[in-house]
Amino acid sequence: MLIGVFDSGIGGLTVLRALRQAWPGHSTIYLGDTARVPYGTKSRATVVRYAHQIADHLLAEGIELLVVACNTASAYALEELQGLPVPVVGVIEPPARAAARATRTGRIGVIGTSATVASGAYERAIAALAPDATVHSIACPLLVPLADEGWEGTDVAREVARRYLEPWLPGRPDRPDVVVLGCTHYPVLRDALAEVLGHEVTLVDSAETTPRAIAPLLEGASTEPEPTHRLILTDGAVGFAATTRRWIGEPAPAVEVVDLEPQGSGQVRR
Amino acid sequence: MLIGVFDSGIGGLTVLRALRQAWPGHSTIYLGDTARVPYGTKSRATVVRYAHQIADHLLAEGIELLVVACNTASAYALEELQGLPVPVVGVIEPPARAAARATRTGRIGVIGTSATVASGAYERAIAALAPDATVHSIACPLLVPLADEGWEGTDVAREVARRYLEPWLPGRPDRPDVVVLGCTHYPVLRDALAEVLGHEVTLVDSAETTPRAIAPLLEGASTEPEPTHRLILTDGAVGFAATTRRWIGEPAPAVEVVDLEPQGSGQVRR
């Protein structure tokens, strides 16, 4: 089966990597919208429009299953994408399910981009699974640029995490026992987040929970002896390509670059 | 005269604000491409395309002078924009000139986005004005999201600045006596940067130097008794609107939202 995976940028590579490890017999095509990253500060209308453009592009490439490996796009556009002719899976429901199952105190924390937190998508998903749980969310817009910069192991990363997570530190009344890393970039920062929160707090993320969620959709699909893997970005700036290779591990496919914006208005000069 | 000002996002408001103070008798129209911010990590081809779309939009609004209040767009697209039917001014030449004039040691530092630094635009501009000066540049991608987050006064801002500017601290051989803040966001972080660099280092930026640079273009243009001011963003997410109001000061015009991407390919569903 050809699995399409997309993200606003390169964070979704954490999900792609986990999918490839869990389901090695299937081909993948990843699209990172690096020309328009980040989605996390943009409005619903903009994100929905971008998600449709990307889905159309991947459908034209022949995908049979679409994984929206971007929490912001999952929060804003998953419902609108259900009309597509292939199954569409987001990255919010899998970690929400894992969090609902793991909590002992009933206090679940969610961190994400401004857009993901503003959408309330995790609160809704968790409420449907664990009606008695209380969910407290914190938007952490600086974590994505920190991860992109490769500073995940620095004092800056720990200081930024401490500033954002201050309401959840030991002794605080809102302290959760499970925290959802509600952005596909955040697994890169897992160590810094765990150090600040304390290791007795369980962290759950989309990369570890999404592969299992698509198991029913792969049932009956035949595996391929030589699956292929493609990486597409909408902007080929050097920094993204380098981080892509670092995150995906070897062997990394060559990076293709596509332009998703409809042309031909006559207004665009080159 | 109607002056058009554009930036990838809201950083150019520092330039707009300075222009309005210096030239209160002229109308302005500001366009922040918040749907596609940041430009600083994108490639030349993408930035040139976006700059042309924005220039076309502002020309249709009737601007008579265009200020490219974005260092990345100035670095990548200023030359291509010289074919427009109105004068076009960038934000690189004015601070480059101020730095060339201010240096005593001949060592000038430049900080900016990855794209601005990679372009070498400041090196070229300074070399043309002060051929004996040596220019050392440092890309600081985290400063823009820090400013957008409103964390300019925090320990995090100082720690991030210290990490980036470490090669220029007192006693280091590359220490410059003048540093160009080569991004229109950076004036917001001026205090943190000055504290880390030491107050004997002169900081120059586009906001303080660009108003004087357009003086010759305003000569002979009649002033208006009641100039108008418009703010246009390509994405109207709440965070941008709030920061816009904070940075521009009162009275802030209402924020209009436009979609710059050419439609009508038939592929985009809403």
Side-chain angles (χ1 to χ4, degrees):
Chain A
M1 183 180 277
L2 177 56
I3 306 173
V5 180
F6 86 83
D7 179 36
S8 58
I10 55 178
L13 292 170
T14 61
V15 177
L16 176 71
R17 188 177 177 154
L19 284 173
R20 282 175 53 173
Q21 281 167 356
W23 308 107
H26 298 280
S27 293
T28 64
I29 178 167
Y30 180 88
L31 194 149
D33 194 5
T34 47
R36 303 186 292 201
V37 73
Y39 287 4
T41 48
K42 299 190 171 81
S43 63
R44 172 185 295 268
T46 299
V47 172
V48 168
R49 186 154 47 81
Y50 291 174
H52 272 301
Q53 286 175 345
I54 292 167
D56 287 339
H57 186 86
L58 291 174
L59 284 170
E61 296 280 1
I63 59 161
E64 299 160 84
L65 165 64
L66 178 62
V67 178
V68 182
C70 170
N71 282 267
T72 304
S74 293
Y76 278 166
L78 196 63
E79 211 164 304
E80 281 87 347
L81 292 175
Q82 296 301 333
L84 297 183
V86 301
V88 180
V89 177
V91 285
I92 287 181
E93 207 272 346
R97 187 171 296 275
R101 202 178 294 129
T103 186
R104 296 286 165 266
T105 64
R107 283 192 303 278
I108 297 173
V110 175
I111 58 174
T113 65
S114 302
T116 298
V117 167
S119 75
Y122 273 103
E123 280 85 344
R124 284 193 300 277
I126 293 170
L129 297 158
D132 295 334
T134 58
V135 181
H136 185 198
S137 301
I138 299 178
C140 306
L142 279 173
L143 295 186
V144 169
L146 259 176
D148 282 344
E149 185 71 335
W151 283 19
E152 58 269 14
T154 66
D155 287 345
V156 172
R158 283 180 288 273
E159 179 61 25
V160 168
R162 198 166 290 118
R163 251 188 110 81
Y164 281 131
L165 302 177
E166 205 275 324
W168 294 347
L169 295 186
R172 302 297 303 265
D174 284 336
R175 182 168 171 79
D177 69 336
V178 178
V179 170
V180 178
L181 310 190
C183 173
T184 51
H185 264 83
Y186 294 178
V188 174
L189 291 151
R190 199 180 177 100
D191 288 349
L193 296 166
E195 188 179 325
V196 168
L197 283 170
H199 292 275
E200 68 277 17
V201 175
T202 303
L203 303 183
V204 301
D205 68 52
S206 305
E208 65 186 1
T209 53
T210 304
R212 183 177 303 265
I214 67 166
L217 299 166
L218 294 178
E219 245 172 46
S222 57
T223 58
E224 304 161 44
E226 295 191 25
T228 59
H229 301 287
R230 290 172 60 196
L231 282 182
I232 301 176
L233 302 179
T234 55
D235 181 282
V238 175
F240 287 125
T243 309
T244 297
R245 293 186 158 269
R246 191 155 49 92
W247 286 11
I248 195 73
E250 295 297 334
V255 171
E256 306 163 49
V257 178
V258 300
D259 179 5
L260 279 188
E261 287 169 53
Q263 302 294 322
S265 71
Q267 286 203 321
V268 183
R269 282 165 305 201
R270 301 255 189 175
Chain B
M1 182 181 277
L2 178 55
I3 306 172
V5 179
F6 87 82
D7 179 36
S8 58
I10 56 178
L13 292 171
T14 62
V15 177
L16 176 71
R17 187 176 179 156
L19 284 174
R20 281 176 53 173
Q21 281 167 354
W23 309 106
H26 298 280
S27 291
T28 64
I29 178 167
Y30 179 90
L31 194 149
D33 195 5
T34 47
R36 304 186 292 201
V37 73
Y39 286 5
T41 48
K42 299 190 170 79
S43 63
R44 173 186 294 269
T46 299
V47 172
V48 168
R49 185 155 46 82
Y50 290 174
H52 272 301
Q53 287 174 344
I54 291 167
D56 286 340
H57 186 85
L58 291 174
L59 284 170
E61 296 280 2
I63 59 161
E64 300 160 83
L65 164 64
L66 179 60
V67 177
V68 182
C70 170
N71 281 266
T72 304
S74 293
Y76 278 166
L78 197 63
E79 210 164 306
E80 281 86 348
L81 293 175
Q82 295 302 332
L84 297 184
V86 301
V88 181
V89 177
V91 285
I92 287 181
E93 207 272 346
R97 188 171 294 275
R101 202 179 292 131
T103 185
R104 296 285 164 264
T105 65
R107 285 192 303 276
I108 296 172
V110 175
I111 58 174
T113 64
S114 302
T116 297
V117 167
S119 74
Y122 273 104
E123 280 84 345
R124 283 193 301 277
I126 293 170
L129 297 159
D132 295 336
T134 57
V135 180
H136 186 197
S137 300
I138 298 177
C140 306
L142 279 173
L143 296 186
V144 168
L146 260 176
D148 281 345
E149 185 70 334
W151 284 19
E152 58 268 14
T154 66
D155 287 346
V156 172
R158 284 179 288 272
E159 179 60 26
V160 168
R162 199 167 289 120
R163 250 188 111 81
Y164 281 132
L165 302 177
E166 205 273 326
W168 295 347
L169 294 186
R172 302 295 304 265
D174 283 336
R175 181 167 172 78
D177 69 337
V178 178
V179 169
V180 177
L181 311 191
C183 172
T184 51
H185 264 83
Y186 294 176
V188 174
L189 292 151
R190 199 179 177 103
D191 289 349
L193 296 166
E195 188 179 325
V196 168
L197 282 171
H199 291 275
E200 67 278 17
V201 174
T202 302
L203 303 184
V204 300
D205 68 51
S206 304
E208 65 186 2
T209 53
T210 304
R212 183 178 301 264
I214 67 166
L217 299 166
L218 294 178
E219 245 172 47
S222 55
T223 58
E224 303 161 44
E226 296 193 23
T228 59
H229 301 286
R230 291 173 60 196
L231 283 181
I232 302 176
L233 301 179
T234 55
D235 182 282
V238 176
F240 287 125
T243 308
T244 297
R245 293 186 159 268
R246 191 154 50 91
W247 288 10
I248 194 73
E250 295 298 332
V255 171
E256 306 162 49
V257 178
V258 301
D259 178 5
L260 280 188
E261 286 169 51
Q263 303 293 321
S265 71
Q267 285 202 320
V268 183
R269 282 165 305 205
R270 302 253 188 174

